[in-house]
Amino acid sequence: MKMPPFDYACPATLSEAIALLSAHGGDAKVLAGGQSLVPILAFRLAAPKLLVDLRKLTDLRTIKITADGVALGAMVRWCDIENDTRLHTAHPLLVAAVAHVAHYQIRNRGTVGGSIAHADPAAEMPGIAVTCEAEIVVMGQAGLRAIKAADFFQRALTTALKPDEIIVEIRLPQWLAGRRWGFQEFARRRGDFALAAAALFYDPDVRGRAANTHVGVIGVADRPLRLPSVEGVLNGAAIDAATIAKAEATTTAAVDPDSDIHASGAYRKALAGTMVERALKMAVEQTP
Amino acid sequence: MKNTFIGTPMERREDLRFLRGRGEYVDDLKVEGLLYAVILRSSVAHGRIASLDTSGARKCPGVHTVITAKDMPEGVPIIPMRLQPLPEFKPYEQPVLAHEKVRYVGEPVAVVLAESVALGEDALEAIGLEIEPLPAIPDHATAARNKSLLFEATGTNGSLVFHARKGDADAVFRDAPYTRRERLSTGRHYGLTMEPRGVMAQWHAETGRLTVSGAAKVPFFNRRILAKQIGLPEAAIEMIENDVGGGYGARGEFYPEDFLIPFAARHTNRPVKWIEDRRENLMAMNHAREATADIEIACTRAGTILALRGDIHNDMGAYMRTNGAVGARNVCQFLAGPYRVPHVKVDSHLWMTNKTPVGTYRGPGRFESNFFLERLIDMVAADLGIDRVEFRRRNLVTQAEQPYPIAHVQPTDAKDQYDSGEYGAAFEQCLEEIGWHEKARLCGRLIDGRYHGLGVSCFIEGGAAGPKETARLEINDDGTFSVYLGTTSVGQGVETIFAQIAADALEVPIDRIRHVHHGSTHYVSEGFGAYHSRSTVMGGSALLDATRNLHAAIRAAGAKRLGCDASAIAIDGEKVSSSDGRSFPLSELAGLTAEGTFQNHHHTYSYGTHAAHVAVDPKLGRIEIIDYVVVQDVGRAVNPLTLKGQVIGAVVQGLGGACLEHLQYDDEGQFLTGSLADYLLPTATDFPNLRCVITENYPSPDNPLGAKGAGEGGIIAAGGALANAVAHALAPFGAEPRTLPLTPSKVWELVGRKKG
Amino acid sequence: MKTRFEVNGREVEVVVEPRLTFADCLRHHLRLTGTHVGCEHGVCGACTVLVDGKAVRSCLMLAVQADGSKVVTVEGLSNDEGLTPLQASFRKHHALQCGFCTPGMITTAHALLSEEPDCDADRVREVLSGNLCRCTGYVSIVEAVLDARAAYKSGTR
């Protein structure tokens, strides 16, 4: 399982990195934490001619929290999110989801940008990005552009990134005070990719009914999905047992996952509903 | 013989190097001029090799040569079976390289030799291998139809049927007051080792000698096979056992690479190293455990087992490997487990399929048969309205019935009997330990969203396979002793255990046993190895014989030197003395050596019970083990610390096989579980609540140590115990698990949601 | 390509292909064979080393990425003679059998205990869930790590 041969560059600036990608067309790949890319190379599922290592781009390692929300530099690692105590209030849903990512050693190197670019359908970060309507900010030869998460993830392992573009930042919208949220994931073992997961939040109105509901599911399609039909069930409703049951059933009806070596499609379909149900219960039980 | 060290939970000597990263595994070895072997493996499950063009690969940078079947003009050697080498199996044995057909994804087709592994792998892509696909045989049912044949010459995909017989089961079934028939199956998994396999071979042309490193398990057997295949006398081949990263039955059997790498060394006249990578290991190390049982049980209405009858279908993979028949034989021979079953008629069918070939994995055939019978017992007890604990109590073999004869298996003429033990006593103790009587009322109850259940399963573990073993003792320059063993290490702590036995037998402090060497063929004249839980019994007993022989040699030397009768010589840890007080230090006898052997024709039977308390989430299908207890009687524990380690380690492997691990193929024989993200091993968070109790109530009557092989009991009953616990947790749904592994998806289906 | 880094307190320079993993570099170029390779795709943890104080999977790192780093391997976590308190705890609890996963376990446990000497059993299991062991069944390893906390709390590690 030795990797195929490639050249390696470790540029000191972002523009250098982009120039390298540009010069090589689709034959160059970005190396961030390497936790997803290196196994792909070890299995010879890809054979890029050049790896462009971003590790010197320290500007991409910051976590900015402002009134506009949370901006994660693309090279921010899972351990950085874990250790940034501001995020417990600034974006608790992000923190809850990231707690499920992989394992201790991987969390010390794996990056937010890497996960987003890799776009595994069962990964937590793309799921959070889609659920929270994040913007993926990328830089290429043509300059900076912000891509809506819903448009960014196209299919399994396929994104809207052009060959010369590098993710620089993931912008999560401002997290409102009083917001209720839930995150539930079930995996075969701790740290595995989700068999299914649900991320959701809503802003209770003055009567305690849900508003601005965002419900996303992970691992049950070729990319993370928002579920407007479920959001429709929840918006304007009191989140009681009946509503939760209806949301669960609506979720199950809304997804059509494939079977694979780990689980049947029917199981995953039901599991998605259970994840939404339990995430809603989690939201309801939160102390404000 | 004193018992200062035997029976104490001593810390291990081998830890001193392992903890510091100073172990020496085969990939840690390096010699000058090494070439690295990379193997081209078939990516097609079944087909005819139309062409193999290595010319492109030979031109790749760093490539020295590419070996194919063409380089073996006298014919491609075939790997003979080591155990149960019946003539019926001969046509199904594996050639070291595929040359006319390929029969499984992963089958070796060619060997690239290059200056580095990376360059070798680059060259693989330049090899032109054309295969004309043939219809694949993806399972035993397809094999049985015999429409597509793996071996056209034999006309059948069924290599053999074992017949296990005792009494007259057909007669009993004709009149039985109660019978139940079930179809149950265990999924394919294997004894994955954390260290993949590896071989390093050095050919010394000037002396015509071959040195092979990376040997394990049965180096003497393997040397015999290699010598024949490569055309050298055995004495010209040295097999060296280095540190070994796990065995579990899978590592150390003779594989194609065990010929190919030494052959490559001689062919190129350069040392050659091959280190298996994990992708290869998943598809090339022996698979195991895939069996489907169609069996029925006959009982009295009062719950006495009368007979077992049926068929077990074993998915053998593409070839009969050195020990491939063991599991299939065991599954029928030991189907009755520790229970009194007077009549048995079970046929065990060996079906060849287009999958990786099968070998033994800890508790071969026993894990499967335990699951089959224990599930059946729970179902039957429920039918008859008898408490399942009471049912077992009535049918477990007692010490009064020992030795208890079991089913006779043909055509291998396997006849055996259990040796000693009150199986019910271990059973009761296990129930007590887990608090069965207090917790039984939890079965089927929904508490905090999860259904609770208890399960129990009883096992016997065969150990101490013969025919014999050898050990050697030698006096070192400083008067300390070195032990040399024909048994091998697979990580179980032989260096410590044998130091304990030697120290007690020689009646010296333990630090006088300076070294324990194991495995390599230059240590003893003849060795047999580590398998079937035999090392402690066989090696230990051989060591006791070696001690007697060394004592005799010391006395003879002492008598000569001190001019007295041998019977007047006394030996303590450091000197040899005569009765009149004259003495000389033992160090003056440096180099004095004696061998010992132990022959054994009686297997030992350790036994015990597993009990599990689970909580099942009906919507996730998740099984949490709240408590899990094993009680195992081992006859005599040489080192209780390492023995407990064996039991707990085996339990986790068993639970892995019961709910996580599954080697999967599609209908074309394509291998689907090619990474550790697909083949799921237990981790530290999966089964944290495990306990074991070791008892020594019934020593083995058949060896001087009184020990019974005990490395496998922890795995044998794990599937049965877990499945029974889940069945009782999900009793409100009428759930009856009949297949392993019990994945969340499968458990959810048991709860009753329809499958889409 | 030239790569310079410090390993176990010693400055080294190696010339390697970009595709060489850091695990292979340590094992074959520097002959630090204590770090083991069990899967080469980042799952088993046998290859765990400390890079700039953090436990990482050296099979998922390119050797060239180690440039400028401070690296500690199991050899660097060992004394010339005898065992460290963590190693002694592993030995006492029989937390190893074949020894292949052990360097990874030691390195990961050391990283955890250095940062969190008060960790509880659940945390130990969570962190070690990224290190596969096939022999022990993990129970004794968790016990060993918990027992070693005292040494890290008192600073006598």
Side-chain angles (χ1 to χ4, degrees), chain B residues 11-12 19-21 25 27-28 122 190 192 194 248 278 491 641 645-646 649 653 661 676 682-684 688, chain C residues 19 27 31 33-34 36 38 41 78-80 87 90-92 94 96-100 125 134-135 137-138:
Chain B
E11 292 184 357
R12 300 188 336 162
L19 285 164
R20 303 167 63 181
Y25 303 84
D27 192 33
D28 301 335
D122 294 343
Y190 80 121
L192 179 154
M194 286 319 301
Y248 327 120
R278 186 57 65 189
L641 180 64
Q646 289 298 304
Q653 288 185 332
E661 300 175 47
L676 294 184
T683 71
Chain C
R19 62 170 160 169
R27 288 178 49 73
R31 300 302 291 151
T33 57
H36 296 150
H41 55 286
S78 304
N79 298 327
D80 287 331
Q87 290 166 335
F90 267 61
R91 188 175 187 221
K92 174 179 161 199
H94 188 41
L96 63 151
Q97 292 181 25
C98 81
F100 198 75
R125 282 185 209 113
R134 201 50 166 155
C135 293
Y138 304 106

Side-chain angles (χ1 to χ4, degrees), chain B residues 616-633:
Chain B
V616 181
D617 184 315
K619 297 178 83 172
L620 301 183
R622 178 171 178 256
I623 304 167
E624 183 195 343
I625 296 179
I626 294 182
D627 196 9
Y628 195 102
V629 178
V630 176
V631 171
Q632 182 166 359
D633 195 297

Side-chain angles (χ1 to χ4, degrees), chain B residues 83-153:
Chain B
L83 297 176
Q84 292 97 43
L86 298 164
E88 293 91 325
F89 290 137
K90 268 255 162 287
Y92 302 94
E93 290 172 340
Q94 182 170 6
V96 296
L97 275 183
H99 51 105
E100 283 154 359
K101 284 185 80 172
V102 293
R103 295 186 174 90
Y104 66 99
V105 168
E107 184 167 4
V109 180
V111 187
V112 174
L113 293 154
E115 300 296 333
S116 75
V117 178
L119 290 171
E121 287 190 35
D122 294 343
L124 284 185
E125 292 167 15
I127 297 181
L129 174 61
E130 295 272 314
I131 299 177
E132 288 157 6
L134 292 166
I137 296 134
D139 51 42
H140 78 261
T142 311
R145 289 198 274 275
N146 280 331
K147 282 189 70 184
S148 180
L149 293 173
L150 271 109
F151 300 86
E152 288 84 356

Side-chain angles (χ1 to χ4, degrees), chain A residues 1-5 43-44 186 188-190 192 248 261-264 266-267 270-271 274-275 277-278, chain B residues 117-118 121-122 125 277 279 617 619-620 622 659-660 664 674-675 677-678 680-681 685-686 743-745 748:
Chain A
M1 290 172 68
K2 306 305 175 192
M3 295 181 259
F43 278 99
R44 297 202 174 210
F186 182 56
R188 292 291 297 274
R189 302 167 305 176
R190 183 166 193 108
D192 282 345
E248 177 180 358
I261 56 169
H262 291 299
S264 71
Y267 166 80
L271 184 64
T274 302
M275 293 293 93
E277 180 218 6
R278 294 187 184 186
Chain B
V117 178
E121 287 190 35
D122 294 343
E125 292 167 15
D277 62 38
R279 192 183 134 267
D617 184 315
K619 297 178 83 172
L620 301 183
R622 178 171 178 256
C659 54
L660 281 170
Q664 298 179 66
S675 80
D678 305 312
L680 304 179
L681 293 172
T685 46
D686 291 301
T743 64
S745 190
W748 177 80

Side-chain angles (χ1 to χ4, degrees), chain B residues 93-350:
Chain B
E93 290 172 340
Q94 182 170 6
V96 296
L97 275 183
H99 51 105
E100 283 154 359
K101 284 185 80 172
V102 293
R103 295 186 174 90
Y104 66 99
V105 168
E107 184 167 4
V109 180
V111 187
V112 174
L113 293 154
E115 300 296 333
S116 75
V117 178
L119 290 171
E121 287 190 35
D122 294 343
L124 284 185
E125 292 167 15
I127 297 181
L129 174 61
E130 295 272 314
I131 299 177
E132 288 157 6
L134 292 166
I137 296 134
D139 51 42
H140 78 261
T142 311
R145 289 198 274 275
N146 280 331
K147 282 189 70 184
S148 180
L149 293 173
L150 271 109
F151 300 86
E152 288 84 356
T154 68
T156 175
N157 293 316
S159 58
L160 189 92
V161 182
F162 283 120
H163 307 285
R165 298 287 185 268
K166 188 181 177 193
D168 187 349
D170 284 337
V172 171
F173 270 94
R174 269 196 291 278
D175 301 315
Y178 166 87
T179 67
R180 179 155 177 164
R181 183 173 174 174
E182 285 292 335
R183 198 178 159 81
L184 303 137
S185 61
T186 47
R188 202 177 196 80
H189 55 285
Y190 80 121
L192 179 154
T193 52
M194 286 319 301
E195 183 205 7
R197 297 176 297 142
V199 183
M200 186 174 84
Q202 297 167 262
W203 169 242
H204 311 282
E206 339 74 59
T207 51
R209 294 189 56 81
L210 190 57
T211 306
V212 181
S213 302
K217 194 181 187 192
V218 286
F220 283 84
F221 281 108
N222 293 346
R223 180 173 68 168
R224 194 161 303 142
I225 296 173
L226 178 61
K228 243 195 180 123
Q229 290 178 337
I230 209 167
L232 285 172
E234 279 182 49
I237 301 176
E238 188 179 347
M239 312 284 280
I240 301 180
E241 181 187 347
N242 308 98
D243 285 323
V244 169
Y248 327 120
R251 182 203 310 276
E253 291 295 330
F254 199 96
Y255 285 88
E257 299 86 359
D258 294 301
F259 169 81
L260 293 169
I261 307 310
F263 177 81
R266 203 168 65 163
H267 187 80
T268 60
N269 203 20
R270 279 181 65 176
V272 175
K273 191 200 238 191
W274 169 73
I275 301 298
E276 185 179 51
D277 62 38
R278 186 57 65 189
R279 192 183 134 267
E280 284 183 291
N281 177 264
L282 285 155
M283 66 171 76
M285 191 178 234
N286 286 342
H287 287 189
R289 300 270 202 260
E290 186 172 4
T292 299
D294 181 1
I295 52 173
E296 46 182 346
I297 191 170
C299 304
T300 66
R301 295 222 77 95
T304 302
I305 301 174
L306 298 172
L308 282 170
R309 182 170 71 175
D311 296 277
I312 300 174
H313 300 279
N314 303 276
D315 188 313
M316 302 304 298
Y319 293 102
M320 286 307 301
R321 296 211 25 86
T322 53
N323 61 1
V326 173
R329 188 219 45 201
N330 284 356
V331 76
C332 63
Q333 185 179 20
F334 296 99
L335 183 61
Y339 298 99
R340 184 183 311 110
V341 180
H343 304 276
V344 175
K345 184 189 179 198
V346 180
D347 288 337
S348 181
H349 305 254
L350 284 69

